[in-house]
Every structure is written in structure tokens, then in C-alpha cells.
Amino acid sequence: MTTKTALVVGASGIVGSATGALLKKEGWQVHALSRRPSAGDGVLPVAADLQDPEGTARALATVHPDAVFITTWARQDSEKENIRVNGAMVRNLLNALPKSENERHVALVTGLKHYLGPFEAYGKGTLPQTPFREEQGRLDVDNFYYAQEDEVFAAARRDDFTWSVHRPHTVIGKAVGNAMNMGTTLAVYATLCRELGRPFRFPGVAQQWTGLTDMTDASVLAQQMLWAVETPAAHDQDFNVVNGDVFRWQWMWERLAAYFGLDFVPFDGVVRPLEEQMAGDAEVWSRIAHRDGLAEPVLDRLASPWHTDADLGRPIEVVTDMSKSRRLGFTAYQPTDDAFFALFDQLRADRLIPAGR
């Protein structure tokens, strides 16, 4: 059998690293593209900055993937800039790929801001009814996710490949230096609370504390993308992707506290954003890291409080419908508390947070 070849774009991120790991397990040859790739873990590194079209074309001149997984984006100061930069990154990537005589599939990861709007207009205006369904389409607002999709659609028409779009909720998984990393952020926050004797307080709003929500484990997202590549009925389709369970943060917060040996503190109605709580903690984290021999002493490389605050500060319900891919045969499921605990165990094993005491 001919070995299938994949290009994972954003290979060092939460979703990219999980996707690369799954593909290797399934016997694919994996080209791992990032600005500073690593040659480890049995992948073929590709160093490229997608904002540089000529450099990207040189880097990909000899790469002929059967499947391309786009799992990256670059955060900008405004949605106008997000659209310009991230649309160009997808365009530069797809323009740079050598033409192929074989069938090719491109899987693009976006997210639920497809339904919620970009950060500038997050959860404002008229929103689709929950649970979010793919048939609800786009909001009448500028959104870089739409720009990324449009670049994929245009290239697919030109180059005759199939595509899929995958919309996770908040993703749980391991990555260092990632801009949207709730799981590791909460692990770091809990570690700081234990170190400083602070209460482990929920940082969000009452609607998130009491309402139903869901999340996406990176491994479930990776499985859905590979399923879409290998399932003809899933080609040229968009899919929501979450773990399959729903929960309330008032239940989950108690379980997270117990994992770290912290007292459970019920929400008292006061919003305490993590950006404020953790604003002066860089020095404390550095001290913990040096004392306990941790691999990353820079707090900002692990925690992204702004993103966790955005998720837990939404005054709206966010629940996602998975019927579309379920009807086509995608059945992966992961309880969200198990996803958190597996991540925390991995962070401890990799010396990114201290071992339990």
C-alpha cells in the first residue's frame, strides 16, 4: 500500500500537534509546517512563514500532500487586520502547494466564532438559536473565519480538491506558546492559587456558571478531520465538533479544584477576570518553575488569560449540535472532565506544571 502523505499547518499548536500524532499513529507520512518546526516525533519539518508567499512556495516546492490540515491563525489588533492577514496566509499556502494528479483534501479548522462573531463583536447583536447548527450559516458581520473559508473555496474550484471545515468550541490540549489555551491556563491558575493560598475562584459570569456548555478535546477534532478526509460523504461539508457531552461550570469547577487539591469555592456573583488575577504573577511562576525544575518559566508562554476570560465571560449560552457528522458516521466521544484530567496529567509528566502534592 502507498503511504498517505499529510501536511499539517500549525503543527506545533494544540490542534496541529494532536493531528500530527493521530496521523503518525495511522501510518501517514507527516510534513509538519510551522515557523520554527521541530524534527522530532517522526515528522518531516517544514519551516515557513505563511505571511511570506515566496518563502512559503520555496518551502513547499517538493511537498505533495494527499491531505492538508490548516490549524493555525495569527492574532491581530483588529478584525480588519485579522481578515487581511489570516486570509492571505491561507491563500499563500494553497497557492504554494504543487499541483497534484492525485485526489487531495484540505481540512480547515475555524471555530464557533462562526456563529458568535469575532472578538470585536463577540456574542453581540442577533445570534443564531442554540444549539448551533451548520445550516445557520454566517452572521452579517466581518469575520476572518469567513475569509479563510472563502480562500479554501476559491482554491478548491481552481485546483479541483475536496475540502472540509471544522468548527470546535474551546479546544483542550497541550501546546506551549499558544494564544488560545484554556486547559493549560486553568492548570497554571490552579497552581498559582495553591502556591499563594488564594481561593480558586471561577473568573467568569453567572450565565456560564449555571448554564449548559460544551468543549472540544484536540484528539476528537483530529479524529473528525481524518474521518472527513477518508469519508466521501463528508467532502465539501462544514462540521461542528465537540466532545459529545454537556456540563455546567459549577459542576466542572468542583472537579478541577479536587484534581489540584484545592477547596471548592462556589461562585459568589462577582466577576474576577483572570487577566486581573494573574497580572502580577509572572515572577511567582518563574520562582515555581526554577524551584520545581519546570520546563517553561515564562508565564505568558503557558497561560492565555484573555482567551479564557472571553469564553467564561460570555453572557449567553453556547451549546453545539453534532447531528450532521453523527448522521454520516462520526462517533468519537470524550467526556470533558476526562479531557481536562488527561491534559493535566500530561502537563505534569512533561514538567510544565508541578507534580501533585
Side-chain angles (χ1 to χ4, degrees):
M1 293 181 64
T2 303
T3 300
K4 291 284 189 178
T5 299
L7 174 65
V8 179
V9 182
S12 60
I14 292 175
V15 178
S17 58
T19 303
L22 175 64
L23 291 167
K24 287 182 293 180
K25 179 182 176 183
E26 295 297 320
W28 287 61
Q29 181 184 69
V30 178
H31 296 267
L33 186 151
S34 64
R35 283 179 296 176
R36 291 176 292 274
S38 169
D41 300 325
V43 301
L44 302 172
V46 179
D49 179 350
L50 296 182
Q51 296 185 49
D52 173 6
E54 291 79 14
T56 300
R58 288 193 298 271
L60 293 174
T62 60
V63 179
H64 297 269
D66 299 293
V68 180
F69 302 85
I70 306 175
T71 72
T72 190
W73 71 290
R75 186 188 181 197
Q76 305 299 310
D77 291 334
S78 68
E79 193 61 18
K80 181 179 179 179
E81 279 299 288
N82 275 331
I83 290 168
R84 183 185 68 82
V85 171
N86 290 283
M89 288 168 61
V90 174
R91 182 169 62 253
N92 294 341
L93 168 73
L94 297 178
N95 286 346
L97 287 173
K99 300 299 183 286
S100 175
E101 296 181 358
N102 300 323
E103 292 184 358
R104 176 177 288 167
H105 186 92
V106 174
L108 170 69
V109 177
T110 61
L112 294 194
K113 287 188 290 298
H114 181 93
Y115 309 107
L116 290 164
F119 286 119
E120 288 181 1
Y122 204 33
K124 300 175 182 177
T126 302
L127 297 175
Q129 186 181 56
T130 57
F132 296 140
R133 293 181 172 87
E134 295 88 347
E135 66 198 46
Q136 291 167 323
R138 295 180 175 184
L139 299 174
D140 186 19
V141 62
D142 290 338
N143 191 322
F144 83 85
Y145 284 168
Y146 306 162
Q148 289 180 307
E149 288 182 344
D150 288 343
E151 293 293 346
V152 170
F153 301 158
R157 290 191 296 269
R158 180 191 69 208
D159 297 333
D160 193 27
F161 59 75
T162 60
W163 56 265
S164 56
V165 175
H166 304 265
R167 299 180 187 134
H169 195 173
T170 303
V171 178
I172 303 172
K174 180 201 162 190
V176 175
N178 192 271
M180 300 193 296
N181 196 343
M182 180 188 284
T184 304
T185 297
L186 292 179
V188 168
Y189 172 57
T191 301
L192 288 164
C193 287
R194 188 174 64 188
E195 177 77 12
L196 298 171
R198 292 178 186 166
F200 182 60
R201 294 189 181 277
F202 182 71
V205 298
Q207 289 91 335
Q208 292 300 313
W209 181 254
T210 59
L212 288 172
T213 192
D214 48 32
M215 294 183 74
T216 307
D217 186 87
S219 67
V220 173
L221 174 51
Q223 290 174 70
Q224 193 193 62
M225 285 194 289
L226 180 55
W227 165 82
V229 170
E230 297 178 336
T231 304
H235 292 174
D236 303 337
Q237 299 285 335
D238 51 0
F239 297 106
N240 296 332
V241 53
V242 287
N243 289 335
D245 65 341
V246 294
F247 65 91
R248 303 180 200 276
W249 276 105
Q250 60 186 0
W251 174 82
M252 184 67 74
W253 203 253
E254 185 170 10
R255 295 182 64 74
L256 300 186
Y259 180 96
F260 289 100
L262 298 167
D263 293 334
F264 172 61
V265 181
F267 182 60
D268 62 2
V270 178
V271 179
R272 299 178 175 87
L274 288 183
E275 274 202 295
E276 295 177 8
Q277 291 194 57
M278 300 172 68
D281 288 341
E283 211 172 292
V284 178
W285 184 259
S286 179
R287 184 177 72 234
I288 294 170
H290 285 99
R291 183 193 67 205
D292 293 355
L294 302 184
E296 181 51 72
V298 180
L299 181 62
D300 289 347
R301 294 270 299 155
L302 294 174
S304 52
W306 70 272
H307 173 255
T308 298
D309 287 340
D311 270 16
L312 299 184
R314 292 181 300 219
I316 53 175
E317 176 184 75
V318 178
V319 182
T320 314
D321 185 83
M322 282 280 288
S323 297
K324 185 176 181 179
S325 60
R326 297 291 193 227
R327 288 189 177 105
L328 293 176
F330 180 69
T331 59
Y333 170 83
Q334 168 73 300
T336 300
D337 51 339
D338 287 353
F340 272 122
F341 300 152
L343 170 63
F344 299 157
D345 288 347
Q346 184 179 11
L347 294 176
R348 284 177 167 174
D350 293 344
R351 296 186 300 107
L352 289 169
I353 62 173
R357 296 176 182 172

